[in-house]
């Protein structure tokens, strides 16, 4: 890690973040591509079946504000660089139903 950090010559980090997942060791048997390569899988529920956050208007995307906070703190602690958030947020549950009424 220290050797890699010395090689990093970035002035800042740019982040687009819309949701977070729990990451599990081991990929599913039907995994392919990057997921198979890193041998992990993701989940929106913890080991007890509790959802990571409230549902949004996308069934795969949950509202997880603490996810970006943990990520920003980690980047700051590891690299101490300026961080630019270029995109963040989540669609509101059933928001698409209201758009038809405009």
């Amino acid at each position: 890690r220290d050797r890699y950090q010395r090689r990093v010559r970035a002035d800042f980090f740019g982040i687009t973040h819309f949701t977070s997942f729990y990451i599990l060791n081991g990929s599913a048997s039907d995994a392919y591509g990057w997921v198979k390569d890193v041998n992990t899988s993701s989940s929106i529920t913890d080991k007890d079946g509790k959802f990571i956050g409230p549902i949004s208007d996308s069934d795969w995307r949950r509202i997880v504000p603490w996810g970006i906070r943990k990520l920003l703190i980690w980047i700051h602690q590891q690299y101490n660089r300026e961080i630019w958030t270029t995109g963040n947020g989540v669609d509101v549950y059933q928001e698409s139903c209201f758009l038809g009424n405009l």
Side-chain angles (χ1 to χ4, degrees), residues 5 14 49 54 60 63-65 73-74 80 82-84 90 96-97:
Q5 284 179 324
W60 62 271
I63 302 168
V64 190
I73 289 170
W74 185 86
N80 195 24
E82 188 173 326
I83 304 169
W84 296 5
V90 69
S96 58
C97 296

Side-chain angles (χ1 to χ4, degrees), residues 71-101:
L71 178 61
L72 293 171
I73 289 170
W74 185 86
I75 291 171
H76 174 72
Q77 289 173 343
Q78 295 296 311
Y79 300 103
N80 195 24
R81 298 286 192 269
E82 188 173 326
I83 304 169
W84 296 5
T85 303
T86 58
N88 177 251
V90 69
D91 42 356
V92 177
Y93 181 62
Q94 293 187 337
E95 179 179 43
S96 58
C97 296
F98 300 114
L99 295 177
N101 296 328

Side-chain angles (χ1 to χ4, degrees), residues 39-77:
N39 194 32
T40 62
S41 58
S42 62
S43 177
I44 58 173
T45 59
D46 66 12
K47 62 183 178 191
D48 298 321
K50 182 180 174 191
F51 287 107
I52 195 169
I55 193 168
S56 69
D57 206 32
S58 303
D59 60 352
W60 62 271
R61 190 182 291 172
R62 295 288 171 150
I63 302 168
V64 190
W66 55 263
I68 191 170
R69 178 178 171 77
K70 287 180 78 168
L71 178 61
L72 293 171
I73 289 170
W74 185 86
I75 291 171
H76 174 72
Q77 289 173 343

Side-chain angles (χ1 to χ4, degrees), residues 24-47:
L24 311 167
N25 188 21
S27 57
S29 60
D30 61 345
Y32 60 93
W34 180 81
V35 173
K36 185 175 182 179
D37 291 345
V38 296
N39 194 32
T40 62
S41 58
S42 62
S43 177
I44 58 173
T45 59
D46 66 12
K47 62 183 178 191

